[in-house]
Amino acid sequence: MQTSSGGLAVWPGGDDSYPFGSVYAADFLLEARAAGYQLPDTPLREAVAWLRRQLMRSSIEPADIFVDSYVLHVLDKAGENVLDDLRYYLDSKSKYF
């Protein structure tokens, strides 16, 4: 179920977005749209906005690098310009590489 922030919760009615599940679901929706399935615009647009906000959070754990890499990949698939995001990510989070 999509939360008010645009991510997806693990359980119906949940308020907290599950990062990996949210990225995976957005990737799945983009693949479905590319395969010709008709999808409403609003949930996908909100998911993409959530992905962007996910990258800009101030704190990060080393394990988040894998999810954030997936976020960048999915944003690119969504047609978003990720070059500046990649630069920001490298400059601000490179100590985890």
Side-chain angles (χ1 to χ4, degrees), residues 58-86:
S58 59
S59 64
I60 186 171
E61 297 294 324
D64 293 336
I65 291 170
F66 300 109
V67 174
D68 288 349
S69 298
Y70 193 17
V71 167
L72 287 163
H73 171 70
V74 173
L75 285 171
D76 184 53
K77 283 172 91 172
E80 298 284 311
N81 181 359
V82 295
L83 188 57
D84 289 338
D85 297 311
L86 286 167

Side-chain angles (χ1 to χ4, degrees), residues 43-64:
L44 187 54
R45 188 175 54 249
E46 290 175 358
V48 169
W50 182 89
L51 294 175
R52 259 211 192 281
R53 288 190 303 275
Q54 181 72 11
L55 285 179
M56 297 304 139
R57 67 194 185 287
S58 59
S59 64
I60 186 171
E61 297 294 324
D64 293 336

Side-chain angles (χ1 to χ4, degrees), residues 5-67:
S5 68
L8 282 97
V10 175
W11 302 108
D15 293 331
D16 296 326
S17 296
Y18 174 54
F20 180 79
S22 297
V23 182
Y24 185 81
D27 191 13
F28 182 85
L29 292 173
L30 288 167
E31 289 292 326
R33 178 173 275 175
Y37 289 93
Q38 297 296 318
L39 302 171
D41 288 331
T42 302
L44 187 54
R45 188 175 54 249
E46 290 175 358
V48 169
W50 182 89
L51 294 175
R52 259 211 192 281
R53 288 190 303 275
Q54 181 72 11
L55 285 179
M56 297 304 139
R57 67 194 185 287
S58 59
S59 64
I60 186 171
E61 297 294 324
D64 293 336
I65 291 170
F66 300 109
V67 174

